[in-house]
Structures are given as structure tokens and as C-alpha cells.
Amino acid sequence: RDSADIVEAEGIRRARGELHAYFAHLIEQRRSEPRDDLVSELIAAAIDGMPLTHEQILSYCELMVEAGNETTRNAISGGLLAFCEHRGEWEKLRVHPELLPDAVEEILRWVSPINHFTRTATEDCERSKVSSAPEVERAAVIVTSMVASCSGSNSPVTGLNDGMANDQRYAPSSA
């Protein structure tokens, strides 16, 4: 690895340490003064009757920050790109703002803001005739956009394809 990679890795470790320190302090605050928030809910949560450990709560807090950031960033940037590539859809949405809730759902389908994640086996298991042992196996899950499985779908907002052609909310003449 070159020095730039090392500096970047150190920066990532430092930032993660700062994030964990922030959450550790917040967790202790919420233990003594619970509020109507997710951290207080995590502190009160239990799995199989056992309260979550400090490490579990810390990991869930980190996950909420990272997952919320990545999905929001990818959905917004991917949605904007889709509107740039399909200007007619942007115009349709401007003329018919009541389509916005459907457009949000369609952008999430079109963009697929989660590209991959990993899962670790917690017990021996077999999938597709492949065995895994929990202490060594992590599975990478690759998520592709639903667009690939919707042949004929040519619209990031309306999802207009043969199956939806009769839905008047999406009819091309409604613009």
C-alpha cells in the first residue's frame, strides 16, 4: 500500500473512533435520562429476553448513521441522474406534484440505493448446497436494481411498461 492509502485508512479509523466516542457518550446519557429516541429504544430492547450489550447498541447506532447516509445519498443522486436522463419525467412530476409519493417509490426501485452488504452466519447452515461455518464465513449480498428484472421499463419515475400502461396515474397523456 502506498502512503496515501495508509493516511486514508488512518483517517477512517480516527473518524470511526470519534463516532464511537460520540455514541458511547450519548448511550450513557440515555441510560440515565431516556428520551423518545432510537438510542433509548435500543437501550430498552432485548433479544431472546436479554438486553443488548453496549457493543450491540454502539454497532446499531453506527449502522443507522452509515446506512442512512448511504441510502439517502445514493437515492438522491441516482434520482437526479434519472431525471436528467429522462427530462419528460421531471416535467411530468412538475406538472403533477401529486405523483411525488409514487415517484419516490419508483426512484428507490430504479436506483437501488443499497448496492451490497454482508451477513455473517451465526450457526452452521447450508445454502445452495454450500456449507458455511459461523466463525469463518461472511457472505456478500449483491443487490441489483429491479429495473433489470422489469423488461420494458423505460421510466425512472413512472415505471411505465406494458403492465402499467392502463394505470391512468402513469398514462403518458396525463402530462
Side-chain angles (χ1 to χ4, degrees):
R1 294 181 356 166
D2 65 16
S3 61
D5 288 340
I6 293 170
V7 169
E8 182 180 356
E10 289 172 359
I12 291 170
R13 275 192 294 278
R14 186 178 60 251
R16 189 169 188 225
E18 291 172 6
L19 182 65
H20 281 203
Y22 169 80
F23 280 127
H25 179 71
L26 183 62
I27 290 166
E28 291 312 311
Q29 279 185 330
R30 293 302 186 267
R31 283 192 196 282
S32 61
E33 296 178 37
R35 294 189 186 169
D36 184 20
D37 62 15
L38 290 173
V39 174
S40 298
E41 289 295 322
L42 287 170
I43 292 167
I47 297 176
D48 296 330
M50 299 295 296
L52 300 178
T53 67
H54 179 77
E55 281 300 314
Q56 287 173 315
I57 296 169
L58 196 60
S59 294
Y60 278 120
C61 289
E62 181 180 6
L63 176 66
M64 286 187 286
V65 168
E66 291 170 357
N69 176 352
E70 183 175 358
T71 56
T72 302
R73 178 175 23 102
N74 291 349
I76 290 171
S77 60
L80 288 173
L81 177 61
F83 281 126
C84 288
E85 292 173 345
H86 301 272
R87 296 293 297 173
E89 296 305 311
W90 175 249
E91 293 304 319
K92 183 185 287 188
L93 190 57
R94 285 185 61 225
V95 171
H96 298 283
E98 68 277 6
L99 292 175
L100 185 58
D102 293 324
V104 169
E105 294 300 320
E106 191 61 19
I107 287 169
L108 291 173
R109 182 190 71 84
W110 183 268
V111 172
S112 190
I114 299 289
N115 299 317
H116 75 281
F117 52 91
T118 60
R119 291 290 183 252
T120 303
T122 58
E123 59 187 49
D124 290 345
C125 60
E126 184 177 307
R127 288 277 189 229
S128 301
K129 299 182 182 181
V130 176
S131 296
S132 66
E135 64 276 1
V136 295
E137 296 296 329
R138 291 181 63 89
V141 180
I142 307 300
V143 180
T144 59
S145 171
M146 290 298 293
V147 172
S149 65
C150 298
S151 62
S153 178
N154 59 5
S155 165
V157 175
T158 65
L160 185 61
N161 61 29
D162 294 340
M164 298 176 73
N166 293 324
D167 187 333
Q168 291 306 304
R169 292 177 301 167
Y170 302 116
S173 60
S174 66

